[in-house]
Structure formats: structure tokens, C-alpha cells
Amino acid sequence: MSVTQDGFERAAVTGLVVFTASVGVLSLVGLLLLLAQLVADTAAAIAAAGPAGIGLTIALRKGGK
């Protein structure tokens, strides 16, 4: 069983395509996870700022009377 030039080139191209596809998929998954984390952090920040904003609004209304 010998390895021919055509067989080697085909295997090299196949390996390169598989490697490129896997890097692309992993990059896409990483970006989606990063986006999900950003959304979660933003939601947490909004939830934490909500009560403080309500308290500030009430304090300003009481001070104005």
C-alpha cells in the first residue's frame, strides 16, 4: 500500500477543510456564548438599577412638595 501524490493532496485538503470548519464552528459558538453572557449581564444590571431608580424618583417627588 503506497501513498500517491493525489491521495496525499486529497487527504491534506480534506484535513484543512475539516480543521477550518471546526475552528469556524467553535468561533461561532464562542461568540454566541459571549452574546448570551452580555444579555444576562445587561438584564442583571437593569434589574439592580430598577429599585434604585424608583427610590430616587420617590425621593425627588417628596422633596418637591
Side-chain angles (χ1 to χ4, degrees), residues 22-58:
S22 65
V23 169
V25 168
L26 290 176
S27 296
L28 184 60
V29 169
L31 287 174
L32 289 175
L33 288 174
L34 186 63
L35 181 61
Q37 184 65 43
L38 179 64
V39 169
D41 289 346
T42 303
I46 290 171
I54 292 169
L56 179 61
T57 302
I58 293 171

Side-chain angles (χ1 to χ4, degrees), residues 8-28:
F8 176 78
E9 288 176 359
R10 189 176 314 124
V13 169
T14 302
L16 183 62
V17 168
V18 169
F19 174 75
T20 304
S22 65
V23 169
V25 168
L26 290 176
S27 296
L28 184 60

